[in-house]
Amino acid sequence: DDNVADAVLRGEPFLQIVVLSLIIGVIMSTLIAYTYYVKRDADRSVTAKLVPVLAVAVFITFTLALVFGTTVSLYVSPLALCSLLVATLVDKRVGIVTNILLSQTFFLTYILVYGSEKAVESSAALVTSMVSSIFLIMFLDKAHNRIKFTVVGFIVGVCSAVIPMLINYLVDANDVSQILMSGLWSLVSIVLSVALFMIVLPLMEYLFRLNTPFRLAELCSLENPLLKRLAKEAPGTFNHSMVVGNLAELCADAIGENTQLAKVCAYYHDVGKIKNSQYFIENQKGYNPHDDVIPEVSVAMIISHVTEGYRMLKKERLPDEVADCAIQHHGTTPVNYFLYKAQNFTEENLDKKEFSYPGPKPRTKIAAIIMIADTVEAASRALSEKVNSPAAFRSLVHGMIKQKADLDQFTECPITYKDLDVIEDTLVQAIPSMYHARIQYNNNPKQDKNA
């Protein structure tokens, strides 16, 4: 065993490759196992991306760390990059564990390759990397845009620079140059990690279609091309989506869901109405094209907006959760207005499925929130003059939520009755100030017209 260790330390390439491969294999296996443990309750569409995200983040970081560590200084190795990417794209807990495992692997590799004389330098850089990464991850939610996080990174870098300076001071208090340079290079490492993070993150957001706080903040901007198209080509739908966005944000906050994601999903849930916008009542200006076509054509135009929206959002590579909400927000509910209108033209019983949305049903709490907020907001516009008391309005909201539940629209998502009660309370408090004219709704099945 001593001979093998000596051979590795002397730099025999074959043994180095074997040992490093075993170490990296163990580290990656541990990291993947822990990631799946933490994300065991996540949707399949998310878990399917975990290994590729981890692999890309680790590969990019390890490669850059080797380049900077060998050509500039070991302290400059941007190991915080990987932990930031994983914390943002996967999970904060996984990000912290990733940094600990990756840092130890990298610095062990460095010692095996360059010898034990680098032990002090490696130890100082290891501690600095782990401490700074943990603080950067802690502040991810505090900085709501990329510029603010860059400033946070600089502050963390300045504070973390003290660590290697203290360690080098303990080793050799007289080597002032080494003490100061270790702190300076550590600061550069953190700033470099944050800078690379800002460059790599958008690429990985786009590549894997994942939502991050930074990406969601950008999607909320009314300067987004899709929202600008919606405002121009379907202005009534755009206004409706903005109101639903505010309601969804409030409901998500009330039940502990991601408020920013809920808002973005609401903003884009009806983006498919850009195509054939005139078939939706909120965009009509006197002429109703449904008057000139048979009910089967009308319902095809109405229900197509969910699949068209899904297609558009996928094409623009928006996060999967946003596209999923677009196709799920009507679930498999029927468009009863046109079903009954068609029934008037025949004595045969029509297939209800042909007049229903294709689904799937909501599969997340946020998708369920969008379904409820969308329906209640639309109904509240029409009944603003008829609902003249808080009790009557609560009855309206409760009835519409119950209608969705009776149609089994919430059977495929983890939303609870308690959540539904909280959402009802939230909507009852928030909507009254938002009433304005829209198509009239009542208690018969025709209330679903063009919703």
Side-chain angles (χ1 to χ4, degrees):
D1 292 342
D2 292 338
N3 292 333
V4 172
D6 291 339
V8 173
L9 291 174
R10 285 197 306 272
E12 293 186 11
F14 176 76
L15 287 176
Q16 286 182 346
I17 292 174
V18 172
V19 172
L20 292 178
S21 297
L22 289 173
I23 293 173
I24 293 173
V26 171
I27 294 298
M28 285 303 299
S29 299
T30 303
L31 182 57
I32 291 172
Y34 178 73
T35 302
Y36 275 109
Y37 173 76
V38 170
K39 306 293 288 186
R40 59 189 180 279
D41 296 326
D43 188 78
R44 289 183 180 179
S45 63
V46 175
T47 56
K49 301 175 182 179
L50 294 179
V51 173
V53 168
L54 289 173
V56 171
V58 169
F59 175 77
I60 292 175
T61 303
F62 209 91
T63 301
L64 291 173
L66 286 174
V67 171
F68 285 101
T70 54
T71 59
V72 183
S73 170
L74 181 58
Y75 292 111
V76 183
S77 304
L79 290 171
L81 171 62
C82 187
S83 59
L84 288 174
L85 290 173
V86 174
T88 306
L89 297 172
V90 180
D91 186 270
K92 287 186 176 181
R93 293 165 292 178
V94 178
I96 292 174
V97 172
T98 299
N99 175 258
I100 294 172
L101 294 177
L102 184 64
S103 297
Q104 292 179 342
T105 302
F106 176 77
F107 292 117
L108 176 60
T109 301
Y110 203 87
I111 291 175
L112 289 175
V113 173
Y114 292 100
S116 58
E117 65 273 8
K118 296 289 186 178
V120 173
E121 188 178 0
S122 295
S123 299
L126 172 63
V127 176
T128 305
S129 172
M130 291 192 294
V131 171
S132 60
S133 293
I134 290 174
F135 277 100
L136 287 172
I137 291 172
M138 287 170 57
F139 287 113
L140 270 175
D141 289 340
K142 305 299 180 182
H144 300 293
N145 58 58
R146 302 180 198 270
I147 295 177
K148 288 183 179 179
F149 189 68
T150 302
V151 175
V152 169
F154 180 80
I155 295 173
V156 171
V158 171
C159 296
S160 300
V162 176
I163 298 173
M165 293 173 67
L166 290 175
I167 293 176
N168 279 277
Y169 176 80
L170 292 174
V171 174
D172 187 356
N174 296 319
D175 194 346
V176 178
S177 175
Q178 176 63 23
I179 293 172
L180 293 177
M181 288 306 298
S182 66
L184 176 62
W185 286 129
S186 294
L187 171 61
V188 172
S189 171
I190 304 303
V191 174
L192 179 62
S193 295
V194 173
L196 290 170
F197 172 66
M198 295 304 174
I199 296 172
V200 176
L201 181 62
L203 299 177
M204 295 187 69
E205 288 171 343
Y206 180 83
L207 177 63
F208 295 107
R209 293 199 299 270
L210 292 168
N211 71 74
T212 69
F214 304 112
R215 175 68 167 149
L216 293 178
E218 291 166 355
L219 291 175
C220 280
S221 170
L222 300 186
E223 293 301 311
N224 183 277
L226 268 182
L227 289 183
K228 292 180 74 172
R229 279 192 63 192
L230 187 64
K232 181 180 179 180
E233 300 177 35
T237 299
F238 173 80
N239 292 330
H240 161 70
S241 298
M242 295 299 103
V243 176
V244 174
N246 293 332
L247 295 175
E249 185 178 25
L250 292 172
C251 292
D253 183 57
I255 65 171
E257 288 296 300
N258 187 328
T259 58
Q260 202 173 28
L261 178 59
K263 188 173 186 177
V264 172
C265 288
Y267 276 9
Y268 293 88
H269 79 284
D270 272 345
V271 74
K273 290 184 179 181
I274 288 176
K275 185 176 182 180
N276 300 315
S277 61
Q278 71 277 12
Y279 279 89
F280 300 91
I281 193 71
E282 67 267 24
N283 301 312
Q284 294 173 3
K285 300 178 180 179
Y287 169 67
N288 188 345
H290 292 292
D291 294 337
D292 299 328
V293 297
I294 61 175
E296 287 80 0
V297 173
S298 291
V299 78
M301 291 294 182
I302 296 299
I303 67 176
S304 67
H305 83 273
V306 296
T307 52
E308 181 64 21
Y310 181 80
R311 184 194 66 78
M312 292 173 66
L313 294 171
K314 283 289 189 179
K315 182 180 179 182
E316 296 297 324
R317 301 194 71 82
L318 266 71
D320 286 340
E321 292 90 336
V322 180
D324 290 342
C325 274
I327 202 169
Q328 293 172 16
H329 78 276
H330 280 295
T332 57
T333 57
V335 187
N336 286 324
Y337 179 87
F338 293 110
L339 172 61
Y340 279 82
K341 185 177 180 180
Q343 192 68 66
N344 291 332
F345 295 112
T346 180
E347 295 181 356
E348 299 179 1
N349 291 325
L350 298 175
D351 186 355
K352 194 174 184 178
K353 289 184 178 180
E354 295 181 2
F355 291 81
S356 300
Y357 285 94
K361 300 174 184 178
R363 291 178 176 171
T364 64
K365 288 187 178 183
I366 287 180
I369 288 173
I370 304 302
M371 169 181 276
I372 295 169
D374 177 48
T375 304
V376 173
E377 192 279 334
S380 68
R381 295 189 184 205
L383 294 178
S384 59
E385 297 179 359
K386 296 183 179 181
V387 180
N388 52 17
S389 71
F393 183 63
R394 178 174 288 277
S395 177
L396 167 71
V397 175
H398 179 80
M400 303 203 79
I401 294 176
K402 184 177 183 300
Q403 182 188 53
K404 300 299 183 185
D406 290 343
L407 290 172
D408 295 327
Q409 295 305 300
F410 305 132
T411 56
E412 296 182 11
C413 69
I415 201 163
T416 65
Y417 283 111
K418 181 178 180 180
D419 292 332
L420 294 177
D421 287 341
V422 173
I423 290 171
E424 178 183 319
D425 291 339
T426 303
L427 294 175
V428 168
Q429 293 176 15
I431 288 181
S433 62
M434 301 178 183
Y435 290 147
H436 48 290
R438 194 179 175 178
I439 186 171
Q440 289 193 356
Y441 283 68
N442 50 47
N443 293 326
N444 63 47
K446 294 184 180 181
Q447 68 182 15
D448 292 316
K449 181 180 179 181
N450 295 356

